[in-house]
Amino acid sequence: MKAIRVHQPGGPENMVYEDVPMPSVGQGQALVKLRAIGVNYMDIYLRQGAQRSTFPLIPGGEGAGVVEATGQGVTEVRVGDLVAYTGAGSSYAEHVVVPSWRLVKLPQGVDASMGAASILQGMTAHYLANSTYPLKAGDTCLVHAAAGGVGLLLVQMAKMRGARVIATVSTSEKAKLAAGAGADEVVNYTEQDFEAEVKRITGGKGCQVVYDAVGKATFDKSLASLAPRGLLALYGAASGPVPPLDINRLGGVMSLSLTRPSLTAYTATREELLLRAGELFSWIGSGKLKVRIEETFKLSSAVEAHRKLEGRLTAGKLLLVP
Ligand code: NDP
């Protein structure tokens, strides 16, 4: 089969479209013929070698397609089912083998493109807004990179829970998209000091929670944007990893909390996975939640997709099709 492989950690040009052996299905696994593959920022960290992976590797942790074969003991899906998944690797390929318990059957009204466009970023937004800090009416949250894949979904889910949303973005086009997703206030953090803007907007009170996946460039001001007893959910590092922190910075009168959550931990059981994916797909199917697909590339053009994502040139989701 054809796949994208990375032989050495490095830039997008290190991704090679080539023939690789077809994966074989084992016990508790299913073979999925992919129809759409989600591109995520974490694919960039993996390609760069930030996760101490073994090379060569096939990047990608999200996709949707049809089950072609199942191994022994598989009960969750059958051959012919249209499924989506995240939390299983090697997705930049024509076929993938996935532990069957990670597969979610797509309901009517959610096709393979929508499944691959939403399952990872959608469940991430879901756990951040509903579990890491369960937002409620009266809360103000700050969502960084609000026109991004996770960002646009998180803004919508925060509004569904009744919170006030302050969004940050880097361009006026992205500002329009964040406002369209429901953000109450949008700050261009490349032109304005977002900490000062948060203070102004909240009358000096600060936010109950900051959702920050930009990392190094925003971390200090994110901490400073919190209200007393506020929570900083640092869930990514698009601008680079945050350096080691003196824990005393959280203390004193502010009594802040810091968490570094991951989707893996918030979908660690089949029950929790199905709960989050079930709500996500029902909102998408009913039109309550909008998923913006920015662009769909051929699998062989994954290099181009990575260049755009890394270059901050996207809003919403990028997909690959085999
Ligand atoms: P996005 O579509 O949000 O793309 C990243 C965005 O980050 C850019 O569009 C850009 O928005 C912003 N950004 C700010 N500074 C930089 C920089 N120096 N270089 C590149 N981008 C920058 O990607 P995803 O939705 O796939 O992921 C968003 C973040 O969420 C990532 O950090 C990812 O690792 C994290 N994540 C974490 C998960 C978890 O469970 N912990 C799960 C899923 C994603 P702008 O131009 O507006 O600044």
Side-chain angles (χ1 to χ4, degrees), residues 60-84:
E62 179 181 40
V66 178
V67 176
E68 271 197 351
T70 53
Q72 260 194 340
V74 170
T75 54
E76 298 87 351
V77 291
R78 290 190 193 158
V79 170
D81 283 346
L82 182 62
V83 294

Side-chain angles (χ1 to χ4, degrees), residues 34-57:
L34 286 161
R35 286 190 182 166
I37 300 153
V39 178
N40 291 284
Y41 216 88
M42 69 175 194
D43 305 342
I44 293 175
Y45 309 140
L46 190 75
R47 190 203 73 222
Q48 291 171 334
Q51 289 163 355
R52 294 201 198 109
S53 317
T54 309
F55 289 82
L57 59 79

Side-chain angles (χ1 to χ4, degrees), residues 112 235 304 310:
Y235 68 100
E304 223 182 302
E310 219 170 344

Side-chain angles (χ1 to χ4, degrees), residues 17 25 95 130 160 203 267 288 319:
Y17 184 63
V25 67
H95 286 83
N130 293 279
M160 281 162 61
T267 52
K288 197 173 168 186
L319 288 179

Side-chain angles (χ1 to χ4, degrees), residues 41 45 121 124 127 148-150 170 174 189 213 235 237-238 261 263 312:
Y41 216 88
Y45 309 140
Q121 293 170 339
T124 300
Y127 86 69
V150 176
S170 68
K174 289 185 178 187
Y189 56 1
Y235 68 100
L263 180 59
R312 297 171 84 163

